[in-house]
Amino acid sequence: MAQKHGEKKGIKAIIQKMGSYLSGMVMPNIGAFIAWGIITALFIETGWWPNAELANMVGPMLTYLLPLLIGYTGGNMVYGQRGAVVGAIATMGVIVGSEIPMFIGAMLLGPLGGYCAKKFDDVFQAKIKPGFEMLVNNFSSGIIGFILAIIAYFGVGPIVTALSQAMANGVEVIVNAGLLPLANIFIEPAKVLFLNNAINHGILTPLGVEQAAETGKSILFLLEANPGPGLGILVAYMFFGKGSARASASGAAVIQFVGGIHEIYFPYILMKPLLFFAAIAGGVAGTFTFSILGAGLVAAASPGSILAVLAMTPRDGYFPVIAGVAVGAIVSFLVAMVILKADKTTDEDDFEGQVAATQALKAESKGQTIETISDLVETDVSVGTIKRIIFACDAGMGSSAMGASILRNKVKRAGLDMSVTNSAINNLVDEEGVLIITQEELAERAKVKTPQAIHVSVENFLNSPRYDEIVDKLKK
């Protein structure tokens, strides 16, 4: 049984890592996608202020800028600046060798370019004569990039074009058959397992951009980003929850709906797994409404805030979008209301205490222990060696930034001179003297990435009693 638990945990970590790599190539470049979406929404023929001259930017940005940024970022993730340059060169080959926006090709060629550059250096770096390093590095980057670009042009481009077209056709068939709402049966639970960024930016955004380029909008941008289901669950907690969970739900609802930090409602669902049904019902109902009313966005809404969603809504598409968000919120609220009202337990006055107890039992069943700052201090790690604190999440934005802000204020009030920042897990660097704080679901990946660091995992970045414990230990 323990082996099966370990296998499941390992599989989930692998899926999260793969999804994180996909989203990690898109997330840092979301600003460029938004810029493209704004230009499209404003200046195309059906935009707010049609301008044929400025609309000339839409095509080149879609064809060249966005895929090159993805390829460059993918190469950088594998092997830094050198890998980024080779990845961008290789991506150019697949862009020119195809007739559609090459986002999938960029996700393949960018990391491949970085990998090839890394392997070349592993073999030849130690053999370079002193004084020839720059010459060899520059020419090797150019030659590797040249070879990969040729391969991509003749080989990868046509294959990825066919694959992308098949995926686009599949999505079209699903949409035409009215089956798209069923996707939320998988999307909503996957979000709570911290695959939200991987789903949205690794899969739906590339497909949505291609669809938007043809039709002017895409419903795919709304599947994961819809803030309605999460809002409905949090509002249900406001009226029918108990203890600290009820007290904190109103603030969480504002952060989730307006701030776009969907991760904030995940612990509320994990506390009562039956609420998965509320999230699924809200997601299905919202997407069904989007489908029948013809809703869509011109570009990705990131973060999934109602403000970002409305900003990316085409001029004639506000009613369908708002209706889908509202229906998703109402349905998830009604289902969550039934679940919460039917709950007869009386031991949930302490939200964090209940969550901590749940996590402890979960870890015990797996033969594991939950590490705390106290455990680490009592073993072979001294808090005095901590030089800085990093909050790490999948994307390095949103929830980790808010958690870092909360602890930074506590550290400052305690009179401690210590840096508190946030980062994506893939961008962490293994070094000593660093305390890394992650959410429970992502702790394993962070430990694999940075084994020398001190690790503490929390259930909720926005409301964890461990922050005060950490500050107390640091003061001592």
Side-chain angles (χ1 to χ4, degrees), residues 407-418:
L407 185 57
R408 189 182 301 117
N409 290 334
K410 290 180 179 290
V411 167
K412 184 177 180 180
R413 287 197 297 268
L416 298 171
D417 184 16
M418 183 169 295

Side-chain angles (χ1 to χ4, degrees), residues 436-458:
I436 296 176
I437 302 176
T438 58
Q439 289 170 303
E440 292 285 355
E441 294 290 331
L442 304 175
E444 182 179 350
R445 283 174 50 204
K447 290 177 182 178
V448 171
K449 183 76 174 177
T450 55
Q452 296 187 78
I454 302 171
H455 291 268
V456 172
S457 55
V458 299

